[in-house]
Amino acid sequence: MEEDDNLPNTAAAAEASDSALQRKHAAMIERLSNSHQSRLARKPNSESNSTFISTSSFLSRFSESKNSIESTLSRIRQTPDPHSNPTLKSELDNVSISIADLEKLVAENSFSLPSYEVRTCLKTITDLKQLVEQVMCEVIPRKKFSFKNKSTKKITTQNDIISEVPNVESKDSVLRVLDSPGFRGKENEVLVKEFGRGNDEEIREFVLSDLKGCDVRLMGNVRALFVHKLIDCKVYVGPVFGSVLIEEVTNCVFVMASHQIRIHQAKRCDFYLRVRSRPIIEDSDGVRFAPYCLKYDGIEKDLEEANLGEETGNWSNVDDFKWLRAVQSPNWSILPENERVGTVDISNREPKI
């Protein structure tokens, strides 16, 4: 009977406990909301911040673009006699531009999106790029190629770019290197390229692949940059409108500015970055980060045109996607100031540091 008498008291206690938890939960939500609003209030009312949109609006826009890209690729695949259709290459180029724009949208809004949504969107973009490559292989005949001997040490400029190097790609690589121009298969050379200087047509994507002991200097703006299998290289890059993807690099120095930078399998490399979103590393160790320090004639204009004129500080906000603990990842660190290079001027053949 005593147990029955205690039942009302137990129920009342449980109800009081639930009420207390609800009040705590409501207070927590209010604190988070106030904190978020405070962050927004502290942000300058600039053009760059006007690109941020709500999570629901972003996901709706992202899904709409994704579905449009998939629909276009499906239609291209169903084209009768695709090898004789001269417009398919142009259509696939437009799809690649749409994917780059989608990647830029993620980069511009990554600060205000949940980490899970950012990772999901980046995975979707990677899948779309692989799908484009698959469709391209199906509908566009591959050019025949032959291997040639490596050249002796020399300075290579944009007039010497890779007409003789086969377009080959690692099966496990997600980098798009099939038909893009770039520098491949070089060793102990100075490789120079100027984008948008009136001496060639617009290059949307550029590739650096299988380089060893090279100095690479890319000036002007390019839409996307893919870096694959570099050893003991120094890479100096002007503004990239979209994204930079880096894979399998060892003992290298990178100086680059971009809206988004993803780094896979990097070992003992230093990165001097200006980036609109948080840099992402995966399967990497011994990588260090510092602020962007590049200089060449006209770089200020190039940075403004790429919407990278202002330092965001994101170079030090690195996400290690393979490190899920709350403590600092041991795979990356801030490069000590006394070990950093000064301003690197690549206006001339020899960089001035």
Side-chain angles (χ1 to χ4, degrees):
M1 186 68 181
E2 292 181 358
E3 292 183 359
D4 293 339
D5 293 339
N6 289 332
L7 286 176
N9 294 333
T10 302
E15 183 177 354
S17 176
D18 290 342
S19 178
L21 288 173
Q22 291 174 3
R23 288 196 300 273
K24 288 182 179 180
H25 180 72
M28 180 185 70
I29 296 298
E30 184 177 0
R31 286 197 303 272
L32 290 173
S33 176
N34 291 338
S35 175
H36 178 65
Q37 293 301 323
S38 297
R39 286 200 307 271
L40 293 179
R42 287 196 297 269
K43 292 181 184 179
N45 186 20
S46 64
E47 180 181 352
S48 61
N49 288 321
S50 66
T51 58
F52 295 124
I53 55 180
S54 69
T55 300
S56 60
S57 298
F58 167 84
L59 292 177
S60 175
R61 183 174 170 184
F62 185 91
S63 178
E64 181 179 349
S65 297
K66 168 182 172 292
N67 292 338
S68 175
I69 291 169
E70 290 176 336
S71 176
T72 301
L73 291 174
S74 177
R75 178 180 55 77
I76 292 175
R77 264 181 162 168
Q78 297 172 8
T79 301
D81 194 15
H83 296 292
S84 62
N85 191 328
T87 66
L88 292 185
K89 180 64 169 61
S90 175
E91 289 190 62
L92 286 170
D93 286 342
N94 290 333
V95 170
S96 295
I97 293 174
S98 297
I99 294 176
D101 290 340
L102 199 59
E103 200 164 26
K104 181 180 177 182
L105 178 67
V106 176
E108 290 176 340
N109 293 276
S110 61
F111 179 81
S112 59
L113 292 172
S115 297
Y116 171 78
E117 299 294 357
V118 174
R119 296 183 189 186
T120 301
C121 290
L122 291 177
K123 176 63 168 60
T124 299
I125 289 171
T126 297
D127 293 341
L128 288 174
K129 289 180 178 180
Q130 291 176 325
L131 182 58
V132 170
E133 296 305 333
Q134 186 177 351
V135 174
M136 186 175 294
C137 290
E138 292 176 2
V139 303
I140 297 179
R142 298 289 297 275
K143 296 180 180 179
K144 296 181 179 180
F145 60 83
S146 60
F147 290 92
K148 293 193 176 183
N149 295 330
K150 292 182 179 179
S151 58
T152 57
K153 293 182 182 179
K154 63 178 181 178
I155 294 179
T156 302
T157 67
Q158 66 250 26
N159 296 324
D160 306 312
I161 287 181
I162 8 192
S163 60
E164 79 279 4
V165 180
N167 291 329
V168 294
E169 183 179 43
S170 168
K171 290 182 180 180
D172 297 328
S173 173
V174 299
L175 301 181
R176 185 177 182 198
V177 298
L178 283 177
D179 294 315
S180 300
F183 293 119
R184 299 176 175 84
K186 305 292 184 179
E187 186 171 349
N188 299 325
E189 295 188 27
V190 178
L191 309 172
V192 181
K193 170 65 184 174
E194 295 186 52
F195 302 107
R197 302 296 182 184
N199 49 17
D200 56 13
E201 63 181 9
E202 179 187 3
I203 294 179
R204 297 190 179 98
E205 298 171 347
F206 200 77
V207 175
L208 304 176
S209 182
D210 295 292
L211 306 180
K212 185 175 182 180
C214 293
D215 277 7
V216 182
R217 301 160 200 179
L218 308 181
M219 291 170 278
N221 292 336
V222 68
R223 181 175 291 274
L225 176 67
F226 303 100
V227 180
H228 187 215
K229 290 187 177 181
L230 270 59
I231 300 175
D232 298 325
C233 292
K234 295 180 180 178
V235 180
Y236 310 106
V237 182
V240 179
F241 278 103
S243 63
V244 176
L245 269 64
I246 300 173
E247 186 179 73
E248 296 183 50
V249 293
T250 304
N251 294 331
C252 294
V253 175
F254 296 91
V255 183
M256 49 182 52
S258 178
H259 282 255
Q260 183 183 68
I261 297 176
R262 298 186 67 184
I263 302 165
H264 303 259
Q265 297 174 292
K267 312 295 182 185
R268 300 179 301 279
C269 293
D270 290 343
F271 295 88
Y272 295 80
L273 305 181
R274 178 176 295 182
V275 57
R276 285 285 302 275
S277 59
R278 297 164 68 99
I280 296 169
I281 66 171
E282 294 182 85
D283 299 314
S284 301
D285 65 76
V287 294
R288 305 186 298 179
F289 293 84
Y292 192 58
C293 58
L294 192 64
K295 178 182 178 182
Y296 60 79
D297 294 338
I299 189 173
E300 293 83 5
K301 179 182 178 182
D302 290 341
L303 287 168
E304 290 295 334
E305 289 180 354
N307 201 16
L308 290 165
E310 296 182 3
E311 175 58 66
T312 63
N314 277 330
W315 62 268
S316 62
N317 296 324
V318 180
D319 280 335
D320 186 347
F321 275 14
K322 290 300 178 72
W323 184 259
L324 303 180
R325 301 180 186 178
V327 298
Q328 164 72 35
S329 165
N331 299 319
W332 71 273
S333 62
I334 301 297
L335 183 60
E337 290 190 18
N338 62 348
E339 297 183 32
R340 300 176 187 176
V341 301
T343 300
V344 181
D345 190 343
I346 60 172
S347 300
N348 300 318
R349 293 294 188 192
E350 296 298 327
K352 298 177 182 179
I353 300 178

